[in-house]
Amino acid sequence: MSKKRVLSGIQPTHDSFHLGNYLGALKQWVEFQKDSDAFYCVVDLHALTVETDPKLLEKRTLLSVAQLLAIGLDPKQCTLFIQSHVPAHNQLAWVLECITGFGEAGRMTQFKDKSQKGGTDRTNVGLFTYPILQAADILLYQADFVPVGEDQRQHIELTRDLGQRFNNKYHEVFTIPAPQIIKSLAKINDLQDPNAKMSKSASSMAGVIELLDSSDAIIKKFKSSVTDAGKEIKFDEQGKPGISNLLTIASALSGKTIKDLENEYAGKGYGDFKVQVAEIAVEVINPIRIRTQELMADKAALLQLLKDGADKANQVASKTLADVYTALGLIKNG
Ligand code: AQP
């Protein structure tokens, strides 16, 4: 039986990925590469929806690639590339834009949230069409699965709708992808605001654990995390969102169950527990930071690896795009 195809992407909008990205999505990426045909991309074109200094975007794109390798992606087991190296992403996005309703795109909650936060002056058309470019990213590779966090569920639904719409209207070209969301890890929350998602664009990074944070910074952030009234270390998302978030993080990083952790810390105070979770996090994150720094020292090797990835990605993407153009009645050149 042929391997299932997997596709996912991440934006280079910040120097460092955070623990939410890692546990909600990236850790699954590493698992999927073992027995699927996995395509992973750093979606630099998506990052243009946020105003970024060109030098910074270049640096962040390479840092993103280095971090993905440092967490365990292996270019021998997956295809790792940069979105802008495959022109078919923009070409398919245009086709999909032409079958997307204006109201349909306007209903995307991420667009509503981000445009509200940014205000009319800073909201560009790219932010509005972002989910359609994302649909193109996925459909081009005929992906069966898309490992993502909960915040991406609505975008994957749109991708499925657009793929089905095209297949019904023109020709059966696209595989319809399913989101792969691990419920318990789908939303890692901010340590300072345990009811809000940990996010790269948080107004303060005090509650965001970054993969490139030093050990001291990680310990400090965990120690000052917001917890709840009471003393018991118990999982209760409604009544104890802070402690529940810490338990989720500790469980995902250590491989222990939440029940085991509750038993282990029974009778201990919040202070001790926070330090223990910090130590678990440092143990996982430290090697990622050190490996990222090593990989960043050889830019030529990163660029070569990305070139190889783009060659493989272009082969698959250009075949899908050719099928789409034929289905639409666009005449072949030559
Ligand atoms: N807090 C989170 N918990 C679980 N999963 C998360 N993801 C993001 N935050 C959490 C997942 O990480 C993947 C890559 O994220 P992205 O950079 O493509 O998108 P994003 O959602 O824009 O990431 P951020 O950090 O939330 O950035 P901003 O603040 O700019 O929106 C995705 O699979 C996402 O689900």
Side-chain angles (χ1 to χ4, degrees), residues 11 18 20-21 114 149 151-152 186 188 197-201:
Q11 297 190 75
H18 57 70
N21 300 136
K114 289 191 176 177
D151 58 341
Q152 293 296 331
I188 300 297
K197 141 185 139 148
M198 193 177 280
S199 168
K200 290 195 210 92
S201 52

Side-chain angles (χ1 to χ4, degrees), residues 218-230:
I218 294 171
I219 291 169
K220 193 165 163 224
K221 286 179 183 178
F222 273 104
K223 273 188 174 168
S224 58
S225 60
V226 169
T227 40
D228 323 283

Side-chain angles (χ1 to χ4, degrees), residues 227-248:
T227 40
D228 323 283
K231 292 194 285 211
E232 224 187 338
I233 294 162
K234 209 138 194 57
F235 191 85
D236 169 7
E237 268 182 318
Q238 302 301 319
K240 288 173 165 279
I243 288 294
S244 302
N245 192 37
L246 293 181
L247 278 167
T248 302

Side-chain angles (χ1 to χ4, degrees), residues 8-14 17-26 29 43 46 50 110 114 117 130 134 146-153 185-190 196-202 208:
S8 201
I10 188 155
Q11 297 190 75
T13 41
H14 204 75
F17 297 147
H18 57 70
L19 209 49
N21 300 136
Y22 179 63
L23 296 177
L26 304 179
W29 291 20
V43 290
H46 282 284
V50 188
Q110 243 189 40
K114 289 191 176 177
K117 267 193 214 159
Y130 179 114
Q134 185 176 343
V146 190
V148 284
E150 182 61 41
D151 58 341
Q152 293 296 331
R153 187 186 290 278
L185 302 175
K187 188 174 169 231
I188 300 297
N189 288 336
D190 189 293
K197 141 185 139 148
M198 193 177 280
S199 168
K200 290 195 210 92
S201 52
V208 179

